Amino acid sequence: MNIRHTQDYDLVVAGGGLAGVCAAVAAARHGLKTCLVHERPVLGGVASSEMRVTVHGAACHHAYGRETGIIHELLEAERAANHETINENGWTNSVFDMALYDLVQRTPGLTLHLNSPVIEVVMAEGAQPAAVLPTTTAGYYERPACAGSRRIAALIARTLSAEVELELRAPLFVDCTGDAFVADRAGCAWRMGSEGRAETGEPHAPERASTDTMGNSIHIRARDLGRPCPFAAPSWAKHYDDPDFFYKQGRPPHDPRGGYWWIEIGVPWHTIHDNETIRHELTRHALGVWDWMKNRDPKMREVCRNYALDFIGQVPGKRESRRVVGHHWLTEVELQARTVFPDEVAYGGWFIDLHTPGGLLAPTSEPHSAQGYAADSEYAGSSFVGPYGIPLRSLIARDVDNLFLAGRCISVTRAALGTVRVMATTALMGQAVGTAAAMARGVALPDLARDAAAAGPLVRAIQQRLLRDGCFLPNQRNADAADVARQAVVSASSEALLHGVSPDEEHDEGGLHRWNRPDQPCEVEPGQLIAVRGGRIDRVALCLDVAGSAPVQVPVRLVRLDGIFDYRRDGAGELASTTLTVEPGQGRWAWWEVALTGVPDGYLCLQTGRVAGAIWRSARYRLPGHPSRRRVSPTRLRSGHQTLAFRVAPAQPVWPAASVLSGRTRPGAGPEAWRSASGEGLPQWLQLEWPEARRIARLELTFPGQLLHEVHSEGPFHRAAQVAKDFTIEVDAGDGVWREVQRVAGNWHRRRDLVLVQPVEARRLRMVISATNGDGSAAVAEIRAYG
């Protein structure tokens, strides 16, 4: 007989993947008595050491698109503590499990129940859980709303191996279960499968609706033992003997260590109800893949000679199942258009990543891989999206009045799910709903949805809170009236100037791997962002390698951009164009006397036309706030993560001290950060000054950190170079005397909240940075001050 414990909370979060962890931590930090209940023994869901999917998000496709907030705290902590590199799927170890567990345990007001699957949803007013089955009349699985009550009263969870049942009661709930178990049992309408193109008008919807879904995956990991390691597959493993299955159908086994997302199976099985069958089939096929690589693969057999299989997952990670109907049904059309939602509370930027139903059983893997990941393939061009906003209304269930949604079960079409489903994006959803639950306490969720649709005061307050807590929203800036820093005049000991960067220039990047840093042939129409400020450009140059013995004619132009994420080939308009004659040879600087005046502040893109025989050299150093571009379609360029070698004259003052009050903590309209002058060394200071003394009790500091690329680019024990390591806070009360009020040593966090030992009266306040984690310049993205 099971013992039942009844517990009361302000909020219960079901599901301890990244969405659930971020939801629970956010809610507890903002004062809600919160419970996080999870079916597995470790947190992280698909990102845990049980499943080992690495955390992807917008920065894979958008330089400076990296997710911040709680998910950044977690990944920052994992990298700082982990001896292991990150490559791809199969590489996560228990250090990440412990980073998640540590954060949850350190969060006051948060109770965690592991090994406790939710088995029942108790509805208010004694109503029975929903028992209506889905139909396939529309072509996909569709279950209508059938809630016996508009409110959930409690969740029942069973703690495994303990003979204990938990009755978890609360006025608010969050479904982060992935399969939308809570929403399903509560009677919410949902869909599973794919809408047809005639219904949604989406480019990536199939011609006909179907019940097909993307498959589930397990992962393998192998280690080099330094000696031959034979492998014999069991008799029940799948036997592969056709190289074309791998090398011509988008499943190349390129790395002996593993990391193969394409070990995937779904159709003909149901990804929820047939999960155990799928697990066994995946195990058969995973062993078969390794057997092929070790014993028969003409390309990998010798490479894998000294490798032994070290891990094979036994908990399938799911990409797709139920999608719950919310107050807004998010579509690919909206995401492709980068629709600005009044209730934007999260964002995404992964591509429209829809795997071929069937996975290993299908003729090819997902389309992008099947096309060899060509950067300008038809699929790459059509599927490149973002960064786009995600509305709060898509995170509120329509049919039950006290249920939030976060994760892959939110209110989206299947085509839109292809991009919003990745974990860094779902983590942002989690923080958004946890914050909304706390700030909308006592407000009925239908009323919150109406406020959200109208850009009402409640959703605006939620957006500002998310920004203050370190999140990024593409279409929002800091407008916090309580932040007295916004009333200050900012100055600094020095300010960096933009001259450009040479191919061989190198600076400490904190151990950042050199991903995506090849030189760019002009045949791909590369471009380089150049921030300008002051209205004048006399000349620009690019550094080219020219093959052969004859000069090459290189078309170039300068295009004005609306911001760092403006990928239109023509941007907001062409400012100038010409053709440069470049002599043959290596490292040729091609100067253009462009002589422009009245140039608006912001980003320009220096682009070349398509021409053979010339290569634009990549710099060894990725200049902060200055990523590159290359063609992805006839009308659009896509982001690169390197800086191409360029020069601009006169030097542009694009890192002014005033940038710390721009309301944005990453490159946008420009670099939007202060950097001290190159070569002047440390210490350097940043100062706020008010007309009269202000009471300051708390400072909230944000450094530029590493937002250029995903966490995959960061090595073991990583510390972001553009983070202040040692600094002091000094104040002048108005008598001209500086007094130190806070000292920080050994910092490696991108965000630091400093509660002063004693509130101070300050007419001037300055931060003096004496050391960074590698960068030769001091840099600050934002400083907030509160009394």
Side-chain angles (χ1 to χ4, degrees), residues 197-219:
R197 194 172 303 163
E199 178 181 355
T200 65
E202 296 168 305
H204 287 90
E207 286 293 334
R208 299 181 61 184
S210 78
T211 58
D212 292 349
T213 62
M214 291 179 279
N216 303 350
S217 286
I218 63 174
H219 299 293

Side-chain angles (χ1 to χ4, degrees), residues 420-434:
V420 305
R421 64 183 176 83
V422 292
M423 286 184 286
T425 305
T426 64
L428 298 180
M429 300 176 197
Q431 183 164 357
V433 298

Side-chain angles (χ1 to χ4, degrees), residues 590-767:
W591 283 95
W592 176 14
E593 304 292 334
V594 67
L596 291 175
T597 58
V599 180
D601 291 353
Y603 279 118
L604 306 182
C605 188
L606 175 61
Q607 302 172 4
T608 77
R610 185 181 295 195
V611 61
I615 295 174
W616 195 341
R617 293 282 297 277
S618 178
R620 292 180 178 272
Y621 175 53
R622 286 170 279 208
L623 192 64
H626 287 81
S628 59
R629 294 278 196 269
R630 60 151 296 159
R631 182 189 67 244
V632 70
S633 76
T635 60
R636 289 198 299 171
L637 306 182
R638 69 173 298 155
S639 181
H641 294 86
Q642 76 268 43
T643 301
L644 301 176
F646 75 96
R647 296 291 186 197
V648 60
Q652 302 291 306
V654 296
W655 289 287
S659 295
V660 301
L661 301 185
S662 75
R664 184 175 170 125
T665 59
R666 68 180 69 203
E672 305 215 37
W674 164 69
R675 282 180 65 81
S676 64
S678 176
E680 292 199 7
L682 300 173
Q684 296 282 335
W685 52 260
L686 179 74
Q687 177 177 294
L688 304 180
E689 183 172 359
W690 293 273
E692 55 190 31
R694 299 299 176 100
R695 183 181 187 272
I696 307 295
R698 181 185 182 94
L699 295 173
E700 297 177 3
L701 311 174
T702 302
F703 304 106
Q706 195 290 100
L707 304 184
L708 174 68
H709 213 313
E710 294 186 292
V711 68
H712 300 67
S713 67
E714 299 172 358
F717 308 120
H718 177 76
R719 305 288 194 275
Q722 293 178 56
V723 166
K725 181 179 180 181
D726 301 330
F727 59 93
T728 58
I729 303 298
E730 301 174 351
V731 298
D732 166 18
D735 56 6
V737 178
W738 288 103
R739 299 173 181 84
E740 181 180 309
V741 295
Q742 196 97 352
R743 177 176 291 269
V744 176
N747 175 61
W748 45 269
H749 298 286
R750 178 176 177 266
R751 291 187 70 251
R752 282 300 298 259
D753 291 354
L754 301 180
V755 178
L756 302 185
V757 176
Q758 244 182 344
V760 296
E761 295 292 320
R763 191 165 185 281
R764 291 187 297 167
L765 179 149
R766 71 182 180 188
M767 174 168 45

Side-chain angles (χ1 to χ4, degrees), residues 428-497:
L428 298 180
M429 300 176 197
Q431 183 164 357
V433 298
T435 303
M439 297 195 68
R441 192 173 186 176
V443 177
L445 295 194
D447 292 337
L448 175 59
R450 283 188 283 272
D451 177 273
L458 190 49
V459 76
R460 292 201 302 271
I462 292 168
Q463 290 169 330
Q464 287 299 311
R465 185 71 245 187
L466 288 167
L467 293 177
R468 184 174 175 183
D469 291 342
C471 292
F472 168 63
L473 298 175
N475 299 290
Q476 300 294 325
R477 290 180 180 264
N478 174 25
D480 187 354
D483 174 13
V484 299
R486 297 174 64 231
Q487 303 160 11
V489 174
V490 192
S491 59
S493 51
S494 67
E495 297 176 342
L497 296 174

Side-chain angles (χ1 to χ4, degrees), residues 382-444:
S382 66
S383 64
F384 183 67
V385 292
Y388 53 78
I390 297 173
L392 178 61
R393 287 165 293 157
S394 291
L395 312 181
I396 301 174
R398 182 193 67 187
D399 303 316
V400 172
D401 291 346
N402 62 339
L403 180 62
F404 285 103
L405 312 165
R408 58 184 169 83
C409 65
I410 70 164
S411 183
V412 290
T413 61
R414 196 243 184 182
L417 179 70
T419 169
V420 305
R421 64 183 176 83
V422 292
M423 286 184 286
T425 305
T426 64
L428 298 180
M429 300 176 197
Q431 183 164 357
V433 298
T435 303
M439 297 195 68
R441 192 173 186 176
V443 177

